[in-house]
Every structure is written in C-alpha cells, then in structure tokens.
Amino acid sequence: MSEKEEQDLPMNDGPSKPAMREALVAAAFELFLERGFEQTTIDDIVSLAGVGRRSFFRYFPAKEDVVFPDHERSLAEMTEFLESGSGEEDPVKHACDAARLVLRMYAEQPSFSVQRYRLTRKVPGLRAYELSVVWRYEHTLAAYLRGRYADRADGPLRADVIAAAVVAAHNHALRTWLRSGGESDWVAEVDAAMAFVTSTWSDRPADSAPDGEGAADDVVVLVASRRAPLWRMVQGIESAIGETRRP
C-alpha cells in the first residue's frame, strides 16, 4: 500500500464518546426493563454495550448515574441561564424560565423519560437518588435568588421558599406529563405551573400591553354551574370585564 493510500484511510479509533455514552445508556435500560435494576450489574451493561468496565466509569461514577445521564448538562445549562440575566429582570420569572430548561430536557426524549419515570417508581434507591438530583436544582435556584434578594431582610427566607415553590411547580408539571405517557402538552403544563408561582411570589405586576393595535387580548374565564341562568352568567362576565378595565 502506498503512502498516499495510507494517508487517505479514515481514522477509526472506536466509537466516538457520545456514541459510546449513548450505547451504555441504551444497554443499561434494555437490561433494567428486562431483568430489573437490582438484578443488572455493571458487567452486564458493558457486556451488552460491547465496551470495557473502564469505559463505563469514564462516563458514570455508579450504576445509578446511568439512569440520569443528562442532569449534569441540564444543571450546567440552568446555572448558565441564571447567570446570564441582566439583573433587571423579575427574579421570580427568571427562576421559572430556568426551570423550564429542565422540563425541556425531559421532553426532548419522551420515550426515555417515561421509561425512567416508571423505573424510578419501582426502585426506592433510584427514587432517593432522584431526590438528591432535585435538591441540586433547588440549591442552584436558591443561590441565584439569594443574590437577587441580598438587600432584603427576608432575602434568605424568600429565596429558599421561592426556589422550593419553583421546583414543586416544575415537578407537578413534569409528573403530569410523564403520567400521560408523554402525550399531554408539556408546554401548557409548565406554563400553568410557572404562572402560578409568578402570580404568587413576584413583586412585579404582570406585563400588560398598551391599548391599541398590537395589544394582547384579555382572557376572561367564567366558572359557573350548568344550572345557572344565562343572565347570571352574563352578569358575571360583565363584572369580570369591569374589574379588568378599571384603572
């Protein structure tokens, strides 16, 4: 073989790092679903993935970590997003928007996320591990909010409570989506959950568009009994419109 031909040969040093990592995750979940988490060993996983034990520990410190392969990246993205703020934005809304990134990570792989959810429900050790992951998200949010509320006497308390509220709202939306098998509208779920947090804890009134062209329409929702007379429904709508238009 000539030197030119040798130079043209493609380099093949084995599977790329992302491919090997994905192969390990895929092999692990195949075995977890087939045999159960406790009955699957790391040797079983690397054997099915076709790699050595050293390769496994290069990506995952323990067997539990292979169940949550994207959380380190997600936590880093959340931290970067929180730090990217100008300092002028509503801190509660900014924290809520940061939490959306985590749910988006789940939504990117709906089948995998639903499988993981079902697996963690069956394995107490994984549930405990998941709670430790959730605590890291909450700790990151609280640290950001403590910085934003540093000039308030109740700053530390407010930061911790709001961070817990953001995580609880996020988890409510996430579990609702996961229990649907990944079929429900996760965007609507998280929007509703985060709107509840901001309306409860934000010091700033919701942004309102000025009257005129391009202004957002107000939405009025009326809850009434089916047996209520029509005039009472109309009265309720008129009352609500009057409240929203009152200066």
Side-chain angles (χ1 to χ4, degrees), residues 24-42 44-45 48 56 62-69 112 115-116 119-120 122-123 126:
L24 287 166
V25 173
F29 266 82
E30 181 177 336
L31 293 170
F32 293 158
L33 295 173
E34 177 185 328
R35 305 179 184 179
F37 178 81
E38 301 293 352
Q39 291 70 34
T40 300
T41 67
I42 291 175
D44 294 331
I45 296 171
L48 182 59
F56 181 92
K63 188 171 66 170
E64 289 79 6
D65 293 283
V66 78
V67 181
F68 305 94
F112 176 75
Q115 285 181 345
R116 173 168 54 195
L119 182 64
T120 56
K122 298 177 182 178
V123 183
L126 287 179

Side-chain angles (χ1 to χ4, degrees), residues 96-113:
C96 288
D97 288 342
R100 292 171 189 271
L101 299 177
V102 184
L103 210 154
R104 185 176 294 115
M105 177 268 290
Y106 281 90
E108 287 173 353
Q109 303 181 73
S111 296
F112 176 75
S113 297

Side-chain angles (χ1 to χ4, degrees), residues 1-2 20 46 65 78 86 95 102 105 117 131 161 167 169 176 207 212 216:
M1 183 180 293
S2 68
M20 184 181 295
V46 298
D65 293 283
M78 170 190 274
S86 64
V102 184
M105 177 268 290
Y117 173 72
L131 290 174
V161 170
V167 169
T176 301
D207 294 335

Side-chain angles (χ1 to χ4, degrees), residues 7 38 48 58 89 101 142 194 200 221 236:
Q7 291 175 346
E38 301 293 352
L48 182 59
R58 186 178 301 146
E89 66 280 338
L101 299 177
M194 295 309 158
T200 303
V221 178

Side-chain angles (χ1 to χ4, degrees), residues 76-87 89 94 140 144:
E77 289 179 353
M78 170 190 274
T79 303
E80 182 180 2
F81 178 83
L82 291 170
E83 293 175 350
S84 70
S86 64
E89 66 280 338
H94 197 59
T140 301
Y144 160 75

